[in-house]
Amino acid sequence: MSLIELRDVRKIYRIGDIEIRALDGVSLEIHEGEYIAIIGPSGSGKSTLMHVLGCLDRVTEGHVRIDDVDVSRAGSDRLARTRNEKIGFVFQSFNLLPRLNVLENVELPLVYSGIGKSERRRRALEAVAAVGLSDRTGNRPNQLSGGQCQRVAIARALVNRPRIILADEPTGALDSRTGRAIMDLFRELSQRGHTVALVTHDANVASEAARQIVLRDGKIV
Amino acid sequence: MKILMGIAEGFGEIRAHKFRSFLTMLGVVLGVASLLAMFALTAGIAKGYREVMSQMGGLERVKVRTEPVPSHQESIRELSPGRTYKDAQALRRNAPLLSWISPELDTYLPVRRADKTESFQVIGVEEDYLHTERHNVEHGRFLSDKDRWDHSRVCVIGRGVVERLWDDPEGVPLGESVRIGNEIFRVVGIFQRYESDQDKKRRELKAKHPPPPPQAGTRSRSRSRWSTFRFKNDVVVVPITTFSTVFKNTKQAGTPEEGSELKLDDLNVQVADLEMFEEALAQIRQVLMVTHRGIEDFSVETRQEMFDEMNTSLRNLHMSFGLIAGISLLVGGIGIMNIMLASISERIREIGIRRAVGARSADIFGQIVIESTVLAALGGVFGLGAALGLMRVLEAMSPVQNRPVVEPSAVIMSLTFAVGVGVLAGLYPAWRAAKLSPIEALRYE
């Protein structure tokens, strides 16, 4: 059984009279433990696909099943819970909260799942250790390098033990050496059994993944 | 749990923008301070009023006044004897709704003791006077019916008289003699000292830490300070019979008990039961119409109007002060709303991140409302501090009996208002923040 299943998904934006088919009949299955890359030029719909996979957005048509639950028509609270429990995000620009330290940033998803303080701390420390930043738990994001920030973001994505990690251009803001290290980390996570989906326009990055999905004009080619 | 975290976040937000938060809070600080000061000031004024009213005999005391004869009765004016001792007797017999009836004669006379002479109000009274004026005899006794029958030359004096004629203001000169006008009277009783709570505290403090011996000038200055209670302390009371023979030179026929035509300077009565107040007034009229032979040359003065006026002015005071305080709180609230709106547009990205990791819109909404409430509540607490400072200033400025009184209920009310303002001011920004779409919020640069 697939972990994520998209069937005939369309996402249509209307701006005035113009209709933009960001996703135009996408069907896709992602299995547990897979490491896939979604690749395509800008405007191909890969960001929209990422939002749909990440339950940040609803679809216009078609069905999205995550962990055997249909979320294509779910309300915003339901989507929030699904994001919280099943999905870990890694963004290009890290998206850490500047006023929180490393540990607090990593704890954030657990706050919204209503987990108690000591358990939060324990799990956050575990996730920070998994990305090799145990010695920086008290630092704020502005005291860290870009690569370290991205590791914090990955730890945050891992902390809730999600079913899938979605990474949107995770190396886009990093120099190539640091980017390399982050890609190594993703491979390591994949080898440990995590399901990882990368969204990128960089063919080199995409080549890391075992399976590549190429998007063009809202369709898988 | 989430609320506690929200409060912690709110404090974090304030710490991160100390100056901005301070400026934002200032409105609430001023609002709460003026609100509390308003409560305290009006409570103080109300307390002052109550003290004075109670010392003056309360609502139960009613005064019978003389009035000019109405014009349509001008031709028969000779028929009415005016306000005489007979009125008092008639009321005693025929007005059961009155508990005490005090006919009085009074005048200002020089009172001399040793080498000191001062002018005091000297009042000729009967035993009922003690009750209508709510006097308390602290030392000795009050005038008795025997004093009245014997036309005794005895007097009961107020504490103010002792203070001004004797060297020791706390002395008990019972049995000593004073010269009132040209007659010698023996002091048989001394009233207690009447004073406001504030005066009492001040006096007790002075007694504990005696000031350097007063010079002649300073003493008279402190004495001349106006006090509501002075009229009650500076009084010399003698039997009405003695007064009339000695000071009025009236050789009236018979004693008062036989129903003299002695004209009174004052006639005060006390209504037994406030529930029957109107009925008692009617009774007074009825009885006096008979003794005055149908001529309406008197009126009945009650404290009702005074009480009503007092309540009206208190209410007006409350309203105008409340309006001012309300406006500052409103301004404070707008300030908070403004800053929360600025704060969320600064933090759109943060909101997006929180949404992405699983915050529901309700979580975001709650967070913003809590932040604005924390801001307002903190402002409220500072406002309390400011109010206490303000109170010192007001205390120095306002008259003694109107000393501001900080009631716990006023503190709670002011804080509640501050918190309420915080919640209200947070609602709109919170709604704006909560309805942001997570994707747009994340994309926001």
Side-chain angles (χ1 to χ4, degrees), chain B residues 254-295:
Chain B
T255 63
E257 279 63 35
E258 290 158 359
S260 83
E261 300 272 307
L262 174 65
K263 295 249 191 204
L264 297 176
D265 292 321
D266 228 335
L267 178 55
N268 293 309
V269 302
Q270 192 174 334
V271 173
D273 184 0
L274 278 182
E275 298 277 303
M276 306 278 280
F277 193 72
E278 289 305 318
E279 291 85 339
L281 293 187
Q283 211 165 55
I284 295 171
R285 274 188 70 77
Q286 213 179 345
V287 171
L288 294 187
M289 279 308 250
V290 173
T291 54
H292 290 230
R293 300 200 179 100
I295 292 172

Side-chain angles (χ1 to χ4, degrees), chain A residues 96-112:
Chain A
L96 301 176
L97 296 188
R99 248 192 315 284
L100 304 186
N101 66 28
V102 166
L103 207 56
E104 289 162 341
N105 261 296
V106 173
E107 278 181 359
L108 199 59
L110 300 174
V111 169
Y112 291 109

